[in-house]
Amino acid sequence: AQTVTQSQPEMSVQEAETVTLSCTYDTSENNYYLFWYKQPPSRQMILVIRQEAYKQQNATENRFSVNFQKAAKSFSLKISDSQLGDTAMYFCAFMKVFQRTGNQFYFGTGTSLTVIP
Amino acid sequence: AAGVIQSPRHLIKEKRETATLKCYPIPRHDTVYWYQQGPGQDPQFLISFYEKMQSDKGSIPDRFSAQQFSDYHSELNMSSLELGDSALYFCASEEAGGINYGYTFGSGTRLTVV
């Protein structure tokens, strides 16, 4: 079974500063996908960034980047130049490479991020 | 770009009533997933469908059932509703094995059982 752990229930950061959210996971799979989803107060689930486990290069999307350490099973999210709109719950998620079954996401418990003006 | 459409956005039902939630996936997405998110909790997987057949079952109560139709839309039927069923219900879709891996979530249906 896969498990995803987010050890930081709440975090805060000053506007324009950088913050890192941590995520660790446990799996026996060799190839898989990892994701960060953002859930603002509207409760919409928005994809922030995704990473394929076989790719060594860390994914980046504008101000968002990840530090993927496969051996350590760690997948942290770095948000640079934090903006007020980044205030949200952030979920780390794991998914196996597509198979006919077993494709559900395994979510962490979330980190509530508050960006302070 | 087309997104995953869920209806209704909000639903209020009384205990022991029945509710039907609908999900219209992104065109060409052949896989649909249902998740339940209680207040302050992470989403919990309920059930999924691939090519109109159930592919996986999670923590879905026996009072709930779901299916995927020939046009790939899906419906989650919930009977004998309980207060604890009050939650946000997400549908997500995916193109199985597609290059854009990962889910696209709908906006969710907020169900309140009173």
Side-chain angles (χ1 to χ4, degrees):
Chain A
Q2 278 63 231
T3 59
V4 179
T5 302
Q6 292 179 249
S7 58
Q8 305 153 314
E10 296 181 356
M11 293 190 72
S12 61
V13 62
Q14 289 290 137
E15 194 175 6
E17 293 193 343
T18 296
V19 64
T20 299
L21 281 57
S22 63
C23 172
T24 58
Y25 58 94
D26 189 24
T27 183
S28 59
E29 301 285 327
N30 187 49
N31 197 16
Y32 45 86
Y33 304 125
L34 295 163
F35 305 84
W36 280 97
Y37 276 84
K38 166 185 175 181
Q39 190 176 41
S42 66
R43 303 296 298 280
Q44 173 80 31
M45 290 286 278
I46 302 166
L47 176 65
V48 175
I49 199 165
R50 57 188 170 197
Q51 172 89 39
E52 296 159 318
Y54 71 84
K55 288 187 176 179
Q56 293 186 344
Q57 186 174 7
N58 289 325
T60 62
E61 286 287 344
N62 301 315
R63 299 183 294 109
F64 299 88
S65 61
V66 299
N67 183 5
F68 173 48
Q69 302 289 329
K70 190 174 183 180
K73 295 181 181 175
S74 170
F75 183 61
S76 61
L77 174 69
K78 185 171 83 169
I79 306 174
S80 305
D81 185 25
S82 298
Q83 300 176 0
L84 296 179
D86 296 334
T87 292
M89 180 72 84
Y90 287 81
F91 289 101
C92 178
F94 170 101
M95 186 176 81
K96 292 187 284 188
V97 173
F98 179 78
Q99 304 164 12
R100 276 194 69 94
T101 64
N103 272 59
Q104 65 267 33
F105 272 15
Y106 297 87
F107 285 97
T109 50
T111 296
S112 178
L113 176 68
T114 301
V115 179
I116 302 167
Chain B
V4 178
I5 307 298
Q6 287 188 249
S7 67
R9 291 293 302 273
H10 302 276
L11 190 58
I12 300 175
K13 290 284 185 178
E14 295 187 354
K15 278 178 19 180
R16 292 180 289 278
E17 283 194 321
T18 297
T20 297
L21 279 55
K22 296 184 179 182
C23 170
Y24 296 86
I26 291 173
R28 293 195 309 277
H29 281 199
D30 46 16
T31 310
V32 168
Y33 305 82
W34 286 96
Y35 283 82
Q36 177 192 56
Q37 187 179 26
Q41 297 180 0
D42 53 296
Q44 298 295 312
F45 172 67
L46 293 178
I47 196 167
S48 64
F49 294 88
Y50 168 65
E51 279 294 342
K52 294 157 279 184
M53 304 255 319
Q54 181 182 309
S55 54
D56 280 294
K57 202 168 183 180
S59 51
I60 184 170
D62 292 339
R63 300 178 288 108
F64 294 8
S65 65
Q67 57 181 324
Q68 186 179 32
F69 294 86
S70 58
D71 63 351
Y72 293 99
H73 93 273
S74 179
E75 295 183 5
L76 177 66
N77 297 294
M78 310 160 70
S79 62
S80 302
L81 287 169
E82 302 173 356
L83 295 179
D85 296 329
S86 295
L88 187 60
Y89 289 83
F90 282 109
C91 168
S93 75
E94 182 187 32
E95 181 183 6
I99 59 172
N100 292 319
Y101 53 91
Y103 295 179
T104 300
F105 284 89
S107 298
T109 293
R110 183 176 297 282
L111 173 67
T112 303
V113 181
V114 297

